[in-house]
Amino acid sequence: DNIIHLVLARLPDAPEGTKGISLFIVPKFLINEDGSLGARNDVVTAGVEHKMGMHANPTCTLSFGETDGAVGYLLGAENHGMACMFTMMNLARVHVGLQGVCLSGRSYDQALAYAQERKQGKAVGSNDEDMSPIIEHPDVRRMLLSMKAQTEATRAIAYANAIAIDFSHHHTDPAEREKAKLREELLTPITKAFGTDVGLDVTSTGIQIHGGMGYIEETGAAQHYRDARILPIYEGTNGIQAIDLAIRKLKMANGQAVKEFIADVAGTISALKGSGDADLLAIAESLEAANNAVAETALWMGEKLQSDIRDNLAGATPYLKIFGFLAGGYYLALGALAAKAYNDAGEGDRSFYDVKITTAKFYAQVYVSQVPALASTARLGADMLYDLTPDQLRG
């Protein structure tokens, strides 16, 4: 019956910058004193944006006050609009990260089905006269396992984030609520930025598996990529998420959020080593090198907050990426430990648990193993970024 817009705007004589932004409720129809709908408010849709993707979700330009003046109602205190907005935005960032996970999963399901049906060439060692399904070719198998492992890693991060949110509100122990709040704050920019970057990568790989047909709209593979492209942009660009992780979350509680996470990973590495299982030991090796690299980089980023914040900002995005790889590997490793325990006890579906272990091992050896090298790029500093002038960048 009515449409309610939440609008950020400035009151007259408001302070400069974000400190002067207030939040308003602007309804399509004004409300009479008896609660019934009244006159039409002076807010109209001025146009519909033509987007690269997300076509099922229209994005419109609104025009306020072109005739009589739009009526808005202050929500919260004056000049506290940003604080109100971030109440919504922090949770929305988790939701956007989940969008990345969901698009990754849908793209993977479709690519897997296509790879089982599409026949091209003969697989190595095949004695069949017919061409082989492309799923039999090593490079296609590599792409599929990459899609699966990345999707499961980002899903695990998002679920861990959701658990932390629940515990921060509902755990019976106040100390555990406080600890969960730190974990929630740490994981939120990783869920959003890493989850959506992976969504873009996975949906691109899904097109690649389809080959030329993936570039044709009738397969539907391209839609996942087009829809995923907005995710690193809205609800705070991924660059902003990286800065949040590299500055605010690094300083939070005197660095406690980062220290506790690294300590938890170290505890899991010890459990992996103590298992005596070759697959889990391989996971532990990659995870330990990554954990050490992230810990070292976090210290460097913290020092740069004091000495040269430009260096910190220049390394923020690769810092978030290595943290994402570490987090994904950590949560998959927890799953692998649980899977081995069930297998040892002879409980449940052994094939299901074997898949969990193999997926965790693949992710550790292909993605987590990249962390030490990527960590060095996070510590390059900002000087090289400014070696070229804007004029030279044009050359």
Side-chain angles (χ1 to χ4, degrees):
D1 294 334
N2 205 352
I3 295 173
I4 304 300
H5 305 287
L6 288 176
V7 180
L8 292 171
R10 290 183 181 280
L11 290 164
D13 302 321
E16 292 296 320
T18 57
K19 292 181 180 179
I21 293 176
S22 299
L23 185 63
F24 298 87
I25 294 173
V26 182
K28 179 177 179 179
F29 293 101
L30 301 177
I31 308 299
N32 296 322
E33 289 187 7
D34 63 0
S36 62
L37 296 183
R40 173 72 184 260
N41 202 1
D42 191 7
V43 51
V44 296
T45 302
V48 178
E49 303 292 348
H50 302 285
K51 298 179 295 185
M52 176 181 174
M54 300 287 283
H55 295 154
N57 183 15
T59 301
C60 303
T61 302
L62 296 180
S63 178
F64 298 90
E66 292 296 323
T67 54
D68 302 325
V71 176
Y73 304 90
L74 184 67
L75 181 59
E78 291 183 14
N79 306 324
H80 282 73
M82 293 299 288
C84 294
M85 184 188 72
F86 273 103
T87 302
M88 172 196 73
M89 185 171 279
N90 282 332
L91 190 57
R93 286 172 173 173
V94 178
H95 293 164
V96 173
L98 276 170
Q99 281 185 273
V101 173
C102 293
L103 280 167
S104 295
R106 180 67 186 92
S107 181
Y108 171 67
D109 288 345
Q110 187 167 329
L112 177 62
Y114 184 82
Q116 291 171 315
E117 297 169 358
R118 169 68 169 156
K119 293 187 176 182
Q120 184 69 42
K122 282 193 176 183
V124 176
S126 173
N127 295 318
D128 204 329
E129 292 184 3
D130 295 332
M131 290 190 291
S132 303
I134 62 172
I135 197 171
E136 297 300 329
H137 299 304
D139 192 56
V140 174
R141 194 65 73 92
R142 176 193 62 81
M143 288 190 285
L144 286 168
L145 194 47
S146 296
M147 294 175 77
K148 177 180 177 60
Q150 289 186 93
T151 302
E152 292 201 10
T154 52
R155 181 183 292 120
I157 293 169
Y159 284 2
N161 199 349
I163 290 169
I165 292 170
D166 283 352
F167 278 17
S168 72
H169 288 286
H170 303 298
H171 202 287
T172 55
D173 184 344
E176 288 298 320
R177 287 201 300 272
E178 186 176 338
K179 183 178 179 179
K181 184 62 178 177
L182 285 178
R183 186 58 52 90
E184 171 200 341
E185 294 279 359
L186 180 70
L187 290 181
T188 294
I190 299 170
T191 297
K192 196 279 179 182
F194 190 69
T196 58
D197 280 344
V198 166
L200 200 57
D201 185 35
V202 168
T203 54
S204 178
T205 303
I207 294 175
Q208 190 71 21
I209 289 174
H210 283 76
M213 288 304 296
Y215 205 68
I216 307 300
E217 289 292 352
E218 69 182 74
T219 64
Q223 180 187 337
H224 306 316
Y225 182 78
R226 286 189 286 102
D227 288 350
R229 189 60 193 87
I230 186 61
L231 303 182
I233 297 173
Y234 65 16
E235 299 299 350
T237 66
N238 285 0
I240 294 297
Q241 306 307 308
I243 291 170
D244 179 40
L245 184 69
I247 295 180
R248 181 168 170 264
K249 303 306 167 61
L250 191 58
K251 295 190 297 184
M252 184 178 295
N254 241 3
Q256 196 63 26
V258 175
K259 291 174 186 176
E260 287 183 357
F261 188 86
I262 289 171
D264 286 350
V265 177
T268 297
I269 291 167
S270 296
L272 292 165
K273 288 181 176 180
S275 70
D277 181 87
D279 289 332
L280 299 192
L281 288 172
I283 295 170
E285 183 179 355
S286 295
L287 205 56
E288 185 169 38
N291 202 35
N292 292 337
V294 169
E296 182 181 347
T297 305
L299 284 174
W300 185 90
M301 298 288 280
E303 290 169 1
K304 290 300 178 180
L305 281 176
Q306 307 301 321
S307 61
D308 191 343
I309 197 167
R310 284 202 320 172
D311 286 344
N312 173 288
L313 294 172
T317 290
Y319 173 64
L320 187 143
K321 186 171 186 176
I322 63 174
F323 222 122
F325 280 148
L326 176 66
Y330 164 56
Y331 290 118
L332 290 185
L334 289 176
L337 281 166
K340 183 181 185 302
Y342 281 117
N343 278 345
D344 289 349
E347 298 177 8
D349 182 351
R350 186 176 189 89
S351 175
F352 174 82
Y353 296 126
D354 286 345
V355 169
K356 292 299 178 186
I357 294 170
T358 298
T359 303
K361 180 183 177 182
F362 177 87
Y363 189 83
Q365 295 189 319
V366 174
Y367 293 102
V368 179
S369 62
Q370 297 179 33
V371 169
L374 289 171
S376 65
T377 69
R379 301 193 297 266
L380 280 176
D383 287 349
M384 187 164 52
L385 302 181
Y386 293 89
D387 282 345
L388 299 181
T389 67
D391 286 339
Q392 287 174 317
L393 285 170
R394 298 190 189 100

